[in-house]
Amino acid sequence: MPIELIWLFPNQTKVPRSWRIGSQLAIGVVGILGKFWIEWVNKVTVYNREALHKAVANRDKNTGLITLANHYSCLDEPLLWGVLQLKYLIHPERIRWSLGSHDVCFTNYWHALFFSLGKTIPVVRGNGVYQKSMDFVISKLNNGNWVHLFPEGKVNLEKERLRLKWGIGRLISESSVTPIVLPIYHIGMDSILPNKTPYIPQIRKKVTYLVGSPMDFTSDIKTLSDLKKSPKEKRKYITDKIQEEFFKLRLQAEELHEKAAS
């Protein structure tokens, strides 16, 4: 039976002023709180910060950006972006779009409104790579927007090496201009908000935040197309390549975090 999504996004060609104001408020408040919590009352060490800044601020206006990160805590969003300059955190046109599970973030109208104003798109886990939310994300990438994904598909409580979701491969292979892909791995977010009751945010915790190198799949997609590979084969190839880099980044981040703790 099809799942009914609470979809509140207005027509993107003519966004009402009331929606813009609401989005400005939601994004601004959450952005400022996120920055306060990760940089002021906790300690975050960011490696290769300039790569993140360059991808967010200095890419070609027609090129989309996909950032990818591991998902260890329910506060990964919005704390991840607290390392950016404030002008990006409070500006609805500059901050990322993201995906949120429909059965967690969109369980009623008010939750859906809050997350939608915060540029979070409802996705149905288990519904595959061809669903409304994925089409919407591709349209955003085609307009040069920034989209953030948690490719593990859930909060990874046990910190397993999970298979990344193939939806990433579709977003990259089917965008009109191949987006920049920037992997991120962080350690320690779950010490700021432990994944157990009573779920009280902590202070004076240490977070290691490692930004990887940008990945460009333009030539890969051309080669795959020349070889007449199917959409499924393209998705798998791209996702496998990202996963390889993702796991390498994890090892580096864990090593850096251990050194900082010793």
Side-chain angles (χ1 to χ4, degrees):
M1 183 176 178
I3 294 173
E4 287 290 330
L5 283 180
I6 303 178
W7 189 275
L8 302 179
F9 296 111
N11 186 320
Q12 297 298 289
T13 59
K14 192 176 182 181
V15 179
R17 186 165 181 268
S18 58
W19 184 272
R20 292 183 185 276
I21 293 171
S23 185
Q24 176 78 70
L25 287 171
I27 288 169
V29 170
V30 172
I32 291 169
L33 287 175
K35 190 169 188 66
F36 169 78
W37 209 265
I38 196 169
E39 287 196 332
W40 291 12
V41 300
N42 289 285
K43 178 176 174 57
V44 58
T45 304
V46 185
Y47 297 90
N48 199 23
R49 186 193 297 258
E50 61 276 9
L52 177 61
H53 176 76
K54 182 178 179 181
V56 170
N58 296 326
R59 69 183 186 280
D60 184 90
K61 66 177 183 178
N62 296 316
T63 302
L65 168 65
I66 297 177
T67 51
L68 308 166
N70 56 306
H71 204 1
Y72 282 176
S73 168
C74 292
L75 274 185
D76 290 342
E77 277 276 7
L79 296 191
L80 274 173
W81 314 124
V83 303
L84 293 172
Q85 295 176 26
L86 195 60
K87 64 182 179 180
Y88 298 106
L89 301 180
I90 63 175
H91 199 302
E93 298 301 319
R94 292 177 173 174
I95 198 64
R96 91 291 168 270
W97 287 88
S98 65
L99 289 171
S101 179
H102 83 286
D103 58 350
V104 176
C105 303
F106 294 81
T107 53
N108 61 51
Y109 174 83
W110 294 109
H111 289 170
L113 180 61
F114 173 75
F115 282 102
S116 298
L117 289 171
K119 296 179 68 175
T120 299
I121 305 159
V123 63
V124 181
R125 288 182 288 197
N127 262 24
V129 301
Y130 294 104
Q131 53 176 295
K132 184 176 183 177
S133 57
M134 301 298 281
D135 296 338
F136 190 79
V137 169
I138 289 174
S139 73
K140 291 301 170 187
L141 291 170
N142 287 342
N143 285 324
N145 284 209
W146 166 24
V147 176
H148 178 71
L149 306 172
F150 292 110
E152 294 161 309
K154 63 178 182 179
V155 177
N156 188 355
L157 299 176
E158 304 301 323
K159 301 179 182 176
E160 304 169 272
R161 290 197 170 201
L162 298 174
R163 180 77 173 86
L164 303 189
K165 301 299 183 182
W166 284 14
I168 311 164
R170 185 195 167 204
L171 299 179
I172 297 167
S173 64
E174 294 189 17
S175 291
S176 57
V177 175
T178 306
I180 297 167
V181 179
L182 189 68
I184 297 168
Y185 217 96
H186 55 85
I187 308 291
M189 286 287 197
D190 55 322
S191 66
I192 294 179
L193 182 68
N195 294 309
K196 58 184 179 181
T197 55
Y199 303 113
I200 297 175
Q202 306 295 301
I203 63 173
R204 302 178 68 183
K205 301 299 181 180
K206 293 182 178 179
V207 173
T208 297
Y209 189 123
L210 178 58
V211 181
S213 299
M215 303 177 71
D216 184 358
F217 287 92
T218 304
S219 61
D220 298 87
I221 293 170
K222 183 180 185 308
T223 299
L224 292 168
S225 297
D226 290 344
L227 293 172
K228 302 190 185 308
K229 296 296 184 180
S230 68
K232 183 177 180 180
E233 289 173 313
K234 291 179 182 178
R235 293 196 299 271
K236 183 180 186 305
Y237 174 88
I238 292 169
T239 307
D240 286 349
K241 194 168 181 178
I242 291 172
Q243 181 164 287
E244 183 179 343
E245 287 300 311
F246 203 61
F247 288 159
K248 287 179 183 177
L249 207 62
R250 172 178 178 159
L251 293 175
Q252 295 172 39
E254 289 174 342
E255 183 178 345
L256 290 167
H257 193 69
E258 287 174 9
K259 283 182 179 179
S262 62

PDB file of all heavy atoms in Angstrom, residues 132-156:
ATOM      1  N   LYS A 132       9.459  10.148  -4.969  1.00  0.00           N
ATOM      2  CA  LYS A 132       9.276  11.592  -5.137  1.00  0.00           C
ATOM      3  C   LYS A 132      10.437  12.392  -4.563  1.00  0.00           C
ATOM      4  O   LYS A 132      10.906  13.366  -5.176  1.00  0.00           O
ATOM      5  CB  LYS A 132       7.958  12.010  -4.482  1.00  0.00           C
ATOM      6  CG  LYS A 132       7.602  13.480  -4.662  1.00  0.00           C
ATOM      7  CD  LYS A 132       6.224  13.774  -4.057  1.00  0.00           C
ATOM      8  CE  LYS A 132       5.826  15.223  -4.310  1.00  0.00           C
ATOM      9  NZ  LYS A 132       4.456  15.513  -3.791  1.00  0.00           N
ATOM     10  N   SER A 133      10.899  12.015  -3.384  1.00  0.00           N
ATOM     11  CA  SER A 133      11.959  12.776  -2.730  1.00  0.00           C
ATOM     12  C   SER A 133      13.245  12.762  -3.549  1.00  0.00           C
ATOM     13  O   SER A 133      13.940  13.781  -3.648  1.00  0.00           O
ATOM     14  CB  SER A 133      12.236  12.213  -1.334  1.00  0.00           C
ATOM     15  OG  SER A 133      12.579  10.843  -1.405  1.00  0.00           O
ATOM     16  N   MET A 134      13.560  11.624  -4.167  1.00  0.00           N
ATOM     17  CA  MET A 134      14.785  11.529  -4.959  1.00  0.00           C
ATOM     18  C   MET A 134      14.679  12.378  -6.226  1.00  0.00           C
ATOM     19  O   MET A 134      15.654  13.014  -6.642  1.00  0.00           O
ATOM     20  CB  MET A 134      15.063  10.067  -5.308  1.00  0.00           C
ATOM     21  CG  MET A 134      15.227   9.167  -4.089  1.00  0.00           C
ATOM     22  SD  MET A 134      16.627   9.669  -3.065  1.00  0.00           S
ATOM     23  CE  MET A 134      17.973   8.972  -4.001  1.00  0.00           C
ATOM     24  N   ASP A 135      13.496  12.399  -6.832  1.00  0.00           N
ATOM     25  CA  ASP A 135      13.290  13.270  -7.998  1.00  0.00           C
ATOM     26  C   ASP A 135      13.470  14.738  -7.602  1.00  0.00           C
ATOM     27  O   ASP A 135      14.062  15.536  -8.351  1.00  0.00           O
ATOM     28  CB  ASP A 135      11.880  13.070  -8.569  1.00  0.00           C
ATOM     29  CG  ASP A 135      11.668  11.658  -9.119  1.00  0.00           C
ATOM     30  OD1 ASP A 135      12.663  10.986  -9.445  1.00  0.00           O
ATOM     31  OD2 ASP A 135      10.497  11.237  -9.217  1.00  0.00           O
ATOM     32  N   PHE A 136      12.964  15.091  -6.428  1.00  0.00           N
ATOM     33  CA  PHE A 136      13.062  16.465  -5.930  1.00  0.00           C
ATOM     34  C   PHE A 136      14.523  16.844  -5.695  1.00  0.00           C
ATOM     35  O   PHE A 136      14.953  17.953  -6.032  1.00  0.00           O
ATOM     36  CB  PHE A 136      12.253  16.590  -4.637  1.00  0.00           C
ATOM     37  CG  PHE A 136      12.072  17.996  -4.146  1.00  0.00           C
ATOM     38  CD1 PHE A 136      11.135  18.826  -4.715  1.00  0.00           C
ATOM     39  CD2 PHE A 136      12.832  18.478  -3.084  1.00  0.00           C
ATOM     40  CE1 PHE A 136      10.949  20.131  -4.251  1.00  0.00           C
ATOM     41  CE2 PHE A 136      12.667  19.774  -2.605  1.00  0.00           C
ATOM     42  CZ  PHE A 136      11.719  20.601  -3.192  1.00  0.00           C
ATOM     43  N   VAL A 137      15.298  15.914  -5.110  1.00  0.00           N
ATOM     44  CA  VAL A 137      16.715  16.176  -4.862  1.00  0.00           C
ATOM     45  C   VAL A 137      17.465  16.392  -6.171  1.00  0.00           C
ATOM     46  O   VAL A 137      18.290  17.312  -6.290  1.00  0.00           O
ATOM     47  CB  VAL A 137      17.357  15.022  -4.063  1.00  0.00           C
ATOM     48  CG1 VAL A 137      18.874  15.164  -4.033  1.00  0.00           C
ATOM     49  CG2 VAL A 137      16.826  15.001  -2.639  1.00  0.00           C
ATOM     50  N   ILE A 138      17.178  15.570  -7.177  1.00  0.00           N
ATOM     51  CA  ILE A 138      17.835  15.740  -8.475  1.00  0.00           C
ATOM     52  C   ILE A 138      17.523  17.114  -9.054  1.00  0.00           C
ATOM     53  O   ILE A 138      18.400  17.782  -9.619  1.00  0.00           O
ATOM     54  CB  ILE A 138      17.425  14.617  -9.448  1.00  0.00           C
ATOM     55  CG1 ILE A 138      18.053  13.293  -9.016  1.00  0.00           C
ATOM     56  CG2 ILE A 138      17.851  14.946 -10.884  1.00  0.00           C
ATOM     57  CD1 ILE A 138      17.607  12.087  -9.821  1.00  0.00           C
ATOM     58  N   SER A 139      16.292  17.570  -8.895  1.00  0.00           N
ATOM     59  CA  SER A 139      15.931  18.905  -9.407  1.00  0.00           C
ATOM     60  C   SER A 139      16.729  19.983  -8.686  1.00  0.00           C
ATOM     61  O   SER A 139      17.120  20.995  -9.296  1.00  0.00           O
ATOM     62  CB  SER A 139      14.422  19.153  -9.258  1.00  0.00           C
ATOM     63  OG  SER A 139      14.056  19.393  -7.906  1.00  0.00           O
ATOM     64  N   LYS A 140      16.982  19.778  -7.401  1.00  0.00           N
ATOM     65  CA  LYS A 140      17.777  20.752  -6.644  1.00  0.00           C
ATOM     66  C   LYS A 140      19.232  20.740  -7.114  1.00  0.00           C
ATOM     67  O   LYS A 140      19.855  21.791  -7.268  1.00  0.00           O
ATOM     68  CB  LYS A 140      17.692  20.462  -5.144  1.00  0.00           C
ATOM     69  CG  LYS A 140      16.322  20.740  -4.542  1.00  0.00           C
ATOM     70  CD  LYS A 140      15.955  22.196  -4.757  1.00  0.00           C
ATOM     71  CE  LYS A 140      14.528  22.509  -4.408  1.00  0.00           C
ATOM     72  NZ  LYS A 140      14.156  23.887  -4.776  1.00  0.00           N
ATOM     73  N   LEU A 141      19.785  19.559  -7.309  1.00  0.00           N
ATOM     74  CA  LEU A 141      21.162  19.456  -7.793  1.00  0.00           C
ATOM     75  C   LEU A 141      21.287  20.082  -9.185  1.00  0.00           C
ATOM     76  O   LEU A 141      22.287  20.731  -9.501  1.00  0.00           O
ATOM     77  CB  LEU A 141      21.601  17.999  -7.820  1.00  0.00           C
ATOM     78  CG  LEU A 141      21.776  17.332  -6.445  1.00  0.00           C
ATOM     79  CD1 LEU A 141      21.970  15.827  -6.602  1.00  0.00           C
ATOM     80  CD2 LEU A 141      22.951  17.937  -5.686  1.00  0.00           C
ATOM     81  N   ASN A 142      20.262  19.893 -10.011  1.00  0.00           N
ATOM     82  CA  ASN A 142      20.286  20.469 -11.362  1.00  0.00           C
ATOM     83  C   ASN A 142      20.275  21.996 -11.338  1.00  0.00           C
ATOM     84  O   ASN A 142      20.676  22.638 -12.314  1.00  0.00           O
ATOM     85  CB  ASN A 142      19.101  19.960 -12.177  1.00  0.00           C
ATOM     86  CG  ASN A 142      19.274  18.507 -12.591  1.00  0.00           C
ATOM     87  OD1 ASN A 142      20.381  17.970 -12.573  1.00  0.00           O
ATOM     88  ND2 ASN A 142      18.178  17.865 -12.960  1.00  0.00           N
ATOM     89  N   ASN A 143      19.825  22.556 -10.217  1.00  0.00           N
ATOM     90  CA  ASN A 143      19.831  24.016 -10.062  1.00  0.00           C
ATOM     91  C   ASN A 143      21.061  24.510  -9.297  1.00  0.00           C
ATOM     92  O   ASN A 143      21.110  25.669  -8.876  1.00  0.00           O
ATOM     93  CB  ASN A 143      18.559  24.472  -9.338  1.00  0.00           C
ATOM     94  CG  ASN A 143      17.346  24.414 -10.241  1.00  0.00           C
ATOM     95  OD1 ASN A 143      17.434  24.690 -11.436  1.00  0.00           O
ATOM     96  ND2 ASN A 143      16.200  24.041  -9.683  1.00  0.00           N
ATOM     97  N   GLY A 144      22.043  23.618  -9.114  1.00  0.00           N
ATOM     98  CA  GLY A 144      23.283  24.012  -8.462  1.00  0.00           C
ATOM     99  C   GLY A 144      23.227  24.074  -6.954  1.00  0.00           C
ATOM    100  O   GLY A 144      24.089  24.685  -6.314  1.00  0.00           O
ATOM    101  N   ASN A 145      22.219  23.425  -6.354  1.00  0.00           N
ATOM    102  CA  ASN A 145      22.061  23.474  -4.902  1.00  0.00           C
ATOM    103  C   ASN A 145      22.977  22.471  -4.196  1.00  0.00           C
ATOM    104  O   ASN A 145      23.540  21.568  -4.809  1.00  0.00           O
ATOM    105  CB  ASN A 145      20.611  23.182  -4.517  1.00  0.00           C
ATOM    106  CG  ASN A 145      19.671  24.342  -4.760  1.00  0.00           C
ATOM    107  OD1 ASN A 145      18.680  24.491  -4.091  1.00  0.00           O
ATOM    108  ND2 ASN A 145      19.961  25.180  -5.748  1.00  0.00           N
ATOM    109  N   TRP A 146      23.058  22.660  -2.884  1.00  0.00           N
ATOM    110  CA  TRP A 146      23.819  21.760  -2.009  1.00  0.00           C
ATOM    111  C   TRP A 146      22.838  20.827  -1.308  1.00  0.00           C
ATOM    112  O   TRP A 146      21.850  21.263  -0.722  1.00  0.00           O
ATOM    113  CB  TRP A 146      24.612  22.592  -1.003  1.00  0.00           C
ATOM    114  CG  TRP A 146      25.188  21.861   0.173  1.00  0.00           C
ATOM    115  CD1 TRP A 146      25.491  20.531   0.262  1.00  0.00           C
ATOM    116  CD2 TRP A 146      25.548  22.425   1.440  1.00  0.00           C
ATOM    117  NE1 TRP A 146      26.024  20.245   1.494  1.00  0.00           N
ATOM    118  CE2 TRP A 146      26.066  21.383   2.235  1.00  0.00           C
ATOM    119  CE3 TRP A 146      25.493  23.721   1.964  1.00  0.00           C
ATOM    120  CZ2 TRP A 146      26.523  21.586   3.548  1.00  0.00           C
ATOM    121  CZ3 TRP A 146      25.951  23.920   3.261  1.00  0.00           C
ATOM    122  CH2 TRP A 146      26.458  22.869   4.036  1.00  0.00           C
ATOM    123  N   VAL A 147      23.136  19.518  -1.352  1.00  0.00           N
ATOM    124  CA  VAL A 147      22.311  18.502  -0.695  1.00  0.00           C
ATOM    125  C   VAL A 147      23.208  17.656   0.205  1.00  0.00           C
ATOM    126  O   VAL A 147      24.278  17.209  -0.222  1.00  0.00           O
ATOM    127  CB  VAL A 147      21.612  17.588  -1.723  1.00  0.00           C
ATOM    128  CG1 VAL A 147      20.827  16.483  -1.006  1.00  0.00           C
ATOM    129  CG2 VAL A 147      20.687  18.395  -2.627  1.00  0.00           C
ATOM    130  N   HIS A 148      22.771  17.449   1.439  1.00  0.00           N
ATOM    131  CA  HIS A 148      23.527  16.568   2.338  1.00  0.00           C
ATOM    132  C   HIS A 148      22.777  15.253   2.532  1.00  0.00           C
ATOM    133  O   HIS A 148      21.554  15.239   2.691  1.00  0.00           O
ATOM    134  CB  HIS A 148      23.750  17.215   3.700  1.00  0.00           C
ATOM    135  CG  HIS A 148      24.476  16.305   4.636  1.00  0.00           C
ATOM    136  ND1 HIS A 148      25.809  15.994   4.470  1.00  0.00           N
ATOM    137  CD2 HIS A 148      24.051  15.586   5.704  1.00  0.00           C
ATOM    138  CE1 HIS A 148      26.176  15.132   5.398  1.00  0.00           C
ATOM    139  NE2 HIS A 148      25.131  14.873   6.159  1.00  0.00           N
ATOM    140  N   LEU A 149      23.550  14.162   2.564  1.00  0.00           N
ATOM    141  CA  LEU A 149      22.977  12.831   2.736  1.00  0.00           C
ATOM    142  C   LEU A 149      23.717  12.069   3.832  1.00  0.00           C
ATOM    143  O   LEU A 149      24.923  12.233   4.008  1.00  0.00           O
ATOM    144  CB  LEU A 149      23.092  12.018   1.432  1.00  0.00           C
ATOM    145  CG  LEU A 149      22.521  12.628   0.158  1.00  0.00           C
ATOM    146  CD1 LEU A 149      22.904  11.753  -1.033  1.00  0.00           C
ATOM    147  CD2 LEU A 149      21.010  12.770   0.260  1.00  0.00           C
ATOM    148  N   PHE A 150      22.974  11.225   4.522  1.00  0.00           N
ATOM    149  CA  PHE A 150      23.563  10.219   5.408  1.00  0.00           C
ATOM    150  C   PHE A 150      23.407   8.882   4.691  1.00  0.00           C
ATOM    151  O   PHE A 150      22.348   8.237   4.779  1.00  0.00           O
ATOM    152  CB  PHE A 150      22.855  10.200   6.759  1.00  0.00           C
ATOM    153  CG  PHE A 150      23.084  11.444   7.585  1.00  0.00           C
ATOM    154  CD1 PHE A 150      22.054  12.342   7.808  1.00  0.00           C
ATOM    155  CD2 PHE A 150      24.331  11.711   8.126  1.00  0.00           C
ATOM    156  CE1 PHE A 150      22.262  13.489   8.558  1.00  0.00           C
ATOM    157  CE2 PHE A 150      24.556  12.859   8.874  1.00  0.00           C
ATOM    158  CZ  PHE A 150      23.518  13.748   9.101  1.00  0.00           C
ATOM    159  N   PRO A 151      24.434   8.447   3.958  1.00  0.00           N
ATOM    160  CA  PRO A 151      24.274   7.297   3.067  1.00  0.00           C
ATOM    161  C   PRO A 151      24.101   5.955   3.757  1.00  0.00           C
ATOM    162  O   PRO A 151      23.731   4.971   3.110  1.00  0.00           O
ATOM    163  CB  PRO A 151      25.560   7.321   2.238  1.00  0.00           C
ATOM    164  CG  PRO A 151      26.556   8.010   3.103  1.00  0.00           C
ATOM    165  CD  PRO A 151      25.778   9.046   3.863  1.00  0.00           C
ATOM    166  N   GLU A 152      24.320   5.911   5.081  1.00  0.00           N
ATOM    167  CA  GLU A 152      24.061   4.664   5.798  1.00  0.00           C
ATOM    168  C   GLU A 152      22.553   4.419   5.937  1.00  0.00           C
ATOM    169  O   GLU A 152      22.119   3.306   6.199  1.00  0.00           O
ATOM    170  CB  GLU A 152      24.715   4.718   7.187  1.00  0.00           C
ATOM    171  CG  GLU A 152      26.233   4.748   7.125  1.00  0.00           C
ATOM    172  CD  GLU A 152      26.848   5.260   8.409  1.00  0.00           C
ATOM    173  OE1 GLU A 152      26.425   6.340   8.891  1.00  0.00           O
ATOM    174  OE2 GLU A 152      27.764   4.601   8.933  1.00  0.00           O
ATOM    175  N   GLY A 153      21.771   5.480   5.794  1.00  0.00           N
ATOM    176  CA  GLY A 153      20.323   5.341   5.785  1.00  0.00           C
ATOM    177  C   GLY A 153      19.660   5.340   7.141  1.00  0.00           C
ATOM    178  O   GLY A 153      18.433   5.246   7.235  1.00  0.00           O
ATOM    179  N   LYS A 154      20.447   5.458   8.210  1.00  0.00           N
ATOM    180  CA  LYS A 154      19.876   5.461   9.561  1.00  0.00           C
ATOM    181  C   LYS A 154      20.971   5.877  10.539  1.00  0.00           C
ATOM    182  O   LYS A 154      22.150   5.971  10.166  1.00  0.00           O
ATOM    183  CB  LYS A 154      19.354   4.081   9.948  1.00  0.00           C
ATOM    184  CG  LYS A 154      20.443   3.010  10.007  1.00  0.00           C
ATOM    185  CD  LYS A 154      19.887   1.663  10.441  1.00  0.00           C
ATOM    186  CE  LYS A 154      20.993   0.615  10.545  1.00  0.00           C
ATOM    187  NZ  LYS A 154      20.455  -0.692  10.983  1.00  0.00           N
ATOM    188  N   VAL A 155      20.588   6.122  11.795  1.00  0.00           N
ATOM    189  CA  VAL A 155      21.589   6.354  12.829  1.00  0.00           C
ATOM    190  C   VAL A 155      22.279   5.020  13.099  1.00  0.00           C
ATOM    191  O   VAL A 155      21.632   4.042  13.478  1.00  0.00           O
ATOM    192  CB  VAL A 155      20.952   6.909  14.122  1.00  0.00           C
ATOM    193  CG1 VAL A 155      22.016   7.075  15.205  1.00  0.00           C
ATOM    194  CG2 VAL A 155      20.265   8.242  13.857  1.00  0.00           C
ATOM    195  N   ASN A 156      23.570   4.978  12.894  1.00  0.00           N
ATOM    196  CA  ASN A 156      24.345   3.744  13.005  1.00  0.00           C
ATOM    197  C   ASN A 156      24.775   3.553  14.456  1.00  0.00           C
ATOM    198  O   ASN A 156      25.904   3.870  14.843  1.00  0.00           O
ATOM    199  CB  ASN A 156      25.558   3.823  12.067  1.00  0.00           C
ATOM    200  CG  ASN A 156      26.321   2.522  11.966  1.00  0.00           C
ATOM    201  OD1 ASN A 156      26.022   1.556  12.671  1.00  0.00           O
ATOM    202  ND2 ASN A 156      27.322   2.497  11.115  1.00  0.00           N
TER     203      ASN A 156
END
